[in-house]
Amino acid sequence: MINNQYFETAKISRLFFKIAIPGAIGMLFCAIYAVFDGIFVSKFLGDVAFAAFNLMYPYYFILVSIADLIGVGSSVLIAIALGKKDNEKASRLFTASVLLIVGLEALVGLVFYFCTPPLIQAMGAEGELFNLAVEYFRIYCIWLPFISLFYAVDNYLRICGKIKTSMFLNITMSILVVLIEYLFLGVAKMGIIGSALAVCIATFVCTILALLKFVRGKLTLKFTKPKFYFKEVLSIFKNGGATFINNISVRLMGIIFNVLLLQLAGQDGINSYGVIVNVSEFIIPLMYGTCDSLQPVTGYNLGAGHIDRVKKIQKYAFLASFTICIVSFALLIGLAQNFAEIFISAENTAGIMMAANALGIFSFTYLTKWVSYAGQSFFSSIEKPIESSIVSISSALIVPLTLIGCFYSLGLSGIWLNFPITSLIVGIETIIIIFILYKRKTLYVKK
């Protein structure tokens, strides 16, 4: 286990390999289950079920985004408290955050359970596609309060120095999902409900395993008598706001894209977008795991006043994100059709060509995506929630929504071009914000 003092004494390069690399691997495995989820649904249940899966995919992440919001937001405050050697406050914040996640997610799950049919109807889904989407999504609504905490607990494990534990939990969850889903779909023939149940059961098991680490009382963070202070809750929502806004905005745009694609190209259009999303699940988690794993270290050193170390840590985060994106671009541009064939049935040659074309255009996104992604994480880790939120909402909602109007006349090509151009614009915006804060000498000063 890595103790918190190690955060301010170890070499930055050693910190990076001990924290960011396991974090990236853990997040990658956490996302791999979603890829196999899509593959199993496509191969065992067919293209209509895969379309239903892709149609509801954004909604599921809207549900769990509250847990991510609180997890990221509270981690900043907890890390700073630990940097100031106030372990009691850190544990109190941790306990309150866990209870807040479970309560809010239970309420959200209940609301969405009853709102599912009208939501899917509003997207234009009918017949078998509508029925499969409702069945699939309602399973997640029921299980939400029992599984959502998993999307926050890795932040708390990393703060306690349990980097490898977080990684192994993510790996375990992915393995469980693959095994259970194969049994449910390939052996028991449960249909699309089996897909959702497999994910829920695996996530619930790993959530319990994670919580047991804290219940035993051997970690830096411990469960204590909960106390809620309005100012602290507000700070949690502010610091996690950028991540939340990004998650919600990305999923809202996903819903909007699905509606447009359903109108322009029907089921094949949705599945082409599904291929993009599933392939991205191999890339985004690597950046997310790298940058967000370093947030507790950054926050701790910021709280301890070690600004030089904060700068060095973030240089590694930007460099790692750049490397991941450039390699990803090369792979996507060269293997677009191969990736499409994994998810689209072989007899649907038109669907495969549409997905390959979409992925080829989309690949250019990663030439500049590293700038905004690492920048957003950087702003969050140094308590610049406004700047982080600006980058997030620009990337996930404002710019792509504006470009939809500009490129609508181009049809499908306009939708695929939306991604790389959005990434370029927001990358420039991120650089401008950093430059302004640097010139004003407020980059590492709390507001």
Side-chain angles (χ1 to χ4, degrees), residues 61 66 79 87 94 115-116 146 180 212 246 290 300 349:
F61 282 97
I66 292 176
N87 290 19
F94 161 69
C115 292
T116 295
F146 308 106
I180 297 172
L212 286 175
N246 183 68
T290 300
Y300 188 95
T349 54

Side-chain angles (χ1 to χ4, degrees), residues 34-35 37-39 41-42 46-60 123 129 133 136 192 251 254-255 257-259 261 267-279 343-344:
V35 178
D37 197 9
I39 293 173
V41 169
S42 173
D47 287 350
V48 178
F50 185 54
F53 167 84
N54 291 320
L55 201 63
M56 301 316 298
Y57 194 80
Y59 283 111
Y60 171 64
M123 297 180 73
L129 179 60
Y136 176 76
I192 200 166
R251 306 312 168 185
I255 293 168
F257 283 135
N258 275 330
V259 171
L261 289 167
Q267 180 181 300
D268 284 342
I270 293 177
N271 286 344
S272 294
Y273 182 52
V275 171
I276 288 176
V277 172
N278 276 275
V279 171
F343 297 95
I344 310 297

Side-chain angles (χ1 to χ4, degrees), residues 113-432:
Y113 181 88
F114 291 104
C115 292
T116 295
L119 281 174
I120 299 173
Q121 285 178 336
M123 297 180 73
E126 300 175 342
E128 185 182 6
L129 179 60
F130 171 83
N131 293 329
L132 290 174
V134 172
E135 290 177 12
Y136 176 76
F137 190 63
R138 277 186 160 175
I139 297 296
Y140 285 115
C141 293
I142 294 170
W143 281 78
L144 189 61
F146 308 106
I147 63 175
S148 56
L149 191 58
F150 183 81
Y151 294 89
V153 75
D154 64 306
N155 294 284
Y156 305 133
L157 287 170
R158 287 198 297 264
I159 287 175
C160 294
K162 304 292 284 186
I163 311 300
K164 290 183 179 179
T165 299
S166 176
M167 179 182 71
F168 285 125
L169 277 172
N170 286 321
I171 293 172
T172 300
M173 191 190 76
S174 290
I175 294 173
L176 284 175
V177 170
V178 172
L179 292 176
I180 297 172
E181 188 158 8
Y182 178 78
L183 290 174
F184 284 1
L185 299 188
V187 179
K189 309 296 182 183
M190 292 178 63
I192 200 166
I193 289 178
S195 172
L197 275 175
V199 174
C200 291
I201 292 171
T203 307
F204 177 69
V205 170
C206 290
T207 301
I208 297 300
L209 291 175
L211 291 178
L212 286 175
K213 296 288 184 180
F214 298 99
V215 172
R216 291 171 182 169
K218 296 181 179 180
L219 301 183
T220 306
L221 297 178
K222 299 174 176 61
F223 283 109
T224 62
K225 184 178 180 180
K227 290 183 181 179
F228 295 87
Y229 296 101
F230 177 77
K231 186 177 180 180
E232 289 178 348
V233 173
L234 187 62
S235 294
I236 288 173
F237 278 83
K238 282 183 178 179
N239 286 310
T243 299
F244 178 73
I245 290 170
N246 183 68
N247 287 336
I248 292 294
S249 299
V250 166
R251 306 312 168 185
L252 285 176
M253 283 308 305
I255 293 168
I256 292 171
F257 283 135
N258 275 330
V259 171
L260 292 173
L261 289 167
L262 195 60
Q263 295 173 354
L264 291 170
Q267 180 181 300
D268 284 342
I270 293 177
N271 286 344
S272 294
Y273 182 52
V275 171
I276 288 176
V277 172
N278 276 275
V279 171
S280 295
E281 291 292 350
F282 283 104
I283 304 167
I284 295 300
L286 288 174
M287 287 196 291
Y288 183 89
T290 300
C291 295
D292 283 31
S293 292
L294 292 172
Q295 280 192 1
V297 187
T298 304
Y300 188 95
N301 280 280
L302 182 66
H306 302 312
I307 304 303
D308 287 341
R309 290 178 63 81
V310 171
K311 293 178 181 178
K312 291 178 181 178
I313 291 165
Q314 290 305 314
K315 284 180 181 178
Y316 273 86
F318 273 91
L319 181 60
S321 296
F322 169 77
T323 304
I324 291 167
C325 282
I326 295 303
V327 172
S328 299
F329 165 73
L331 289 174
L332 294 185
I333 199 73
L335 302 172
Q337 184 167 335
N338 301 82
F339 285 119
E341 289 172 348
I342 295 174
F343 297 95
I344 310 297
S345 58
E347 60 272 14
N348 186 3
T349 54
I352 290 174
M353 293 307 297
M354 182 185 295
N357 178 63
L359 196 56
I361 297 173
F362 173 80
S363 65
F364 286 89
T365 300
Y366 290 109
L367 290 178
T368 55
K369 183 68 175 177
W370 61 277
V371 180
S372 59
Y373 203 93
Q376 173 196 321
S377 179
F378 170 53
F379 292 140
S380 292
S381 65
I382 60 171
E383 283 203 283
K384 290 288 187 292
I386 294 176
E387 288 79 2
S388 186
S389 297
I390 289 172
V391 174
S392 293
I393 198 169
S394 296
S395 175
L397 188 64
I398 294 176
V399 176
L401 196 59
T402 302
L403 292 179
I404 282 178
C406 297
F407 296 158
Y408 186 77
S409 61
L410 298 178
L412 282 176
S413 295
I415 292 179
W416 310 138
L417 282 169
N418 195 303
F419 299 101
I421 295 178
T422 292
S423 182
L424 175 62
I425 292 172
V426 181
I428 294 172
E429 177 187 58
T430 303
I431 293 172
I432 291 172

